[in-house]
Amino acid sequence: MLSWSHLRSVALFLIEPGKPNQNAYIESFNGSFRDEYLNEHWFTSLHHAQVVIEVWRREYNEERPKKSLGGLTPSAYAEQLVVKHDKVTSDSKPGCY
């Protein structure tokens, strides 16, 4: 891995041992993925795993309410932003004369 990253000018930033809170977002995701999916399913092939994991990933990223978004799902939050943007844009347009 070190050789591969060096050849491609990829900088590696590692989490210090015993300090998973340095990357709490991915630790939370990994825990949810492991507890809710990997521990609950038996995959019969790589293709089967790819298909069913993609379904879980979409549900996790698009349909679950997120605390950081005020309890909204990402799609509802995005829709709210579009409505706000449209309102701001239409309110700020000068009148036609």
Side-chain angles (χ1 to χ4, degrees):
M1 171 122 166
L2 294 175
S3 298
W4 178 90
S5 61
H6 180 72
L7 287 171
R8 289 160 180 79
S9 301
V10 173
L12 298 177
F13 296 99
L14 304 175
I15 295 171
E16 294 176 68
K19 306 239 180 182
N21 59 337
Q22 289 178 343
N23 193 352
Y25 173 77
I26 196 64
E27 289 299 318
S28 175
F29 171 82
N30 286 344
S32 295
F33 185 57
R34 185 175 44 256
D35 293 342
E36 297 173 18
Y37 216 78
L38 295 179
N39 291 345
E40 301 292 326
H41 290 80
W42 183 273
F43 304 111
T44 57
S45 67
L46 178 58
H47 177 71
H48 178 231
Q50 290 170 330
V51 169
V52 295
I53 289 170
E54 177 62 13
V55 170
W56 183 88
R57 186 195 66 79
R58 286 181 184 268
E59 187 269 332
Y60 182 88
N61 287 326
E62 299 171 7
E63 299 172 18
R64 285 190 188 188
K66 307 289 186 204
K67 288 180 189 176
S68 63
L69 302 178
L72 296 173
T73 64
S75 56
Y77 184 76
E79 187 176 308
Q80 186 181 55
L81 290 177
V82 168
V83 169
K84 283 182 182 178
H85 179 266
D86 288 347
K87 182 175 178 359
V88 169
T89 303
S90 65
D91 287 349
S92 62
K93 287 183 182 175
C96 296
Y97 299 105

